[in-house]
Amino acid sequence: MLLLFSLFFVTLAKIISMNKPELIPNPDGTWTLDYPIRPLRPSAVAETERVESLARSALKRCPWDFGASSMLSDLLAEREEVEEACQVRFDALQRALELINDEDIVVDWNDRQCRNMIELMGQSAVDHFWIQDFEMCAAICETTLEADPEDHTGLVPYMLYSYVLIEDWESFDERLMDLDPRSIHYELLESIRDFDNGVKTEVRIDAATRQFIEPVCQQIPEWSNLLQVK
């Protein structure tokens, strides 16, 4: 009986591995995901109550189905099942890293599965930012931005704040130019650097920005006292 179970799981693992997609190069230098089986299509889900069942089934069949991961993550988030939603995104991140094993690969944002993959990677980076695992957040941001240098998911501020909080000032200085100097985050990051050098600068921000940087404020409460929320 034990042998039969072992053979079953070995066979299942082989079947799943056969469903692993490949990254195919495009003429413009980007890469697209090519699946040996058809991944789950959001438009194919007509009834809301069927979403979870279909998404979980699709992921059992093909763990690299980033569309299914995105659907399941969104559903769990809507139900405020935060921990499992974060785990789904992290699992998707790990699957993405299995595919993006070359730092020169830039994926095609117009490819739906590639876009879902990048979005899930970015969401996982934000998850780690909010649990204050800033080293992991920075690492995920770096990897995601290598695959999506146009930063469609807005990760640069998260990466820069993470560099500050892990005191990686060399990387901070190298990547600060990736942020628009007109951005409020640029002003805030300059303020943090000034604070680190003993210069206190007040910055006026809105409530949404204050919420964005909440993990930073928890780590540097003295600096956060300089912020003036409009």
Side-chain angles (χ1 to χ4, degrees):
M1 182 64 70
L2 182 60
L3 178 59
L4 287 175
F5 273 111
S6 298
L7 288 172
F8 170 77
F9 284 112
V10 168
T11 303
L12 181 62
K14 287 182 178 179
I15 293 173
I16 291 174
S17 66
M18 290 172 62
N19 294 335
K20 183 177 181 179
E22 295 183 7
L23 281 163
I24 306 298
N26 296 322
D28 64 358
T30 62
W31 297 69
T32 300
L33 284 168
D34 182 53
Y35 286 79
I37 60 172
R38 177 179 293 183
L40 182 64
R41 295 179 178 275
S43 58
V45 184
E47 302 173 16
T48 304
E49 59 268 21
R50 296 181 58 216
V51 172
E52 182 174 1
S53 176
L54 288 172
R56 290 188 187 278
S57 295
L59 287 170
K60 286 181 180 179
R61 183 183 60 168
C62 178
W64 300 270
D65 188 335
F66 299 108
S69 293
S70 181
M71 292 170 63
L72 181 58
S73 169
D74 289 347
L75 177 66
L76 293 168
E78 288 175 6
R79 296 203 311 234
E80 298 185 355
E81 297 178 21
V82 177
E83 185 174 348
E84 188 176 359
C86 291
Q87 186 61 54
V88 169
R89 294 191 284 264
F90 186 67
D91 290 344
L93 167 69
Q94 293 179 305
R95 295 300 186 184
L97 294 178
E98 293 175 10
L99 299 172
I100 305 176
N101 53 13
D102 186 332
E103 63 181 14
D104 294 328
I105 287 181
V106 175
V107 301
D108 182 2
W109 178 255
N110 294 317
D111 178 76
R112 182 170 50 81
Q113 285 285 340
C114 286
R115 183 166 63 251
N116 287 330
M117 179 180 71
I118 292 297
E119 288 173 343
L120 287 160
M121 294 173 72
Q123 289 164 3
S124 188
V126 175
D127 291 339
H128 284 84
F129 182 79
W130 275 97
I131 64 171
Q132 301 187 22
D133 186 347
F134 301 111
E135 188 168 356
M136 179 65 82
C137 176
I140 298 172
C141 287
E142 290 171 352
T143 301
T144 308
L145 288 167
E146 287 173 356
D148 176 38
E150 293 186 20
D151 191 20
H152 289 94
T153 55
L155 291 182
V156 169
Y158 291 103
M159 180 177 64
L160 291 169
Y161 285 122
S162 295
Y163 284 151
V164 167
L165 294 167
I166 63 177
E167 299 184 351
D168 185 353
W169 293 104
E170 182 178 354
S171 295
F172 176 87
D173 289 334
E174 289 177 358
R175 300 302 296 264
L176 184 60
M177 67 182 68
D178 294 340
L179 193 62
D180 186 342
R182 298 166 297 180
S183 165
I184 184 60
H185 295 296
Y186 191 97
E187 185 177 357
L188 286 167
L189 287 159
E190 286 284 296
S191 172
I192 295 175
R193 180 158 58 180
D194 289 344
F195 182 82
D196 189 65
N197 292 326
V199 179
K200 297 181 179 181
T201 307
E202 293 185 351
V203 181
R204 289 178 60 83
I205 59 175
D206 58 26
T209 302
R210 178 61 178 79
Q211 177 67 16
F212 186 105
I213 62 171
E214 174 60 25
V216 183
C217 293
Q218 292 180 15
Q219 292 292 315
I220 321 175
E222 298 86 357
W223 169 77
S224 69
N225 292 333
L226 299 172
L227 303 177
Q228 298 181 0
V229 181
K230 301 175 186 177

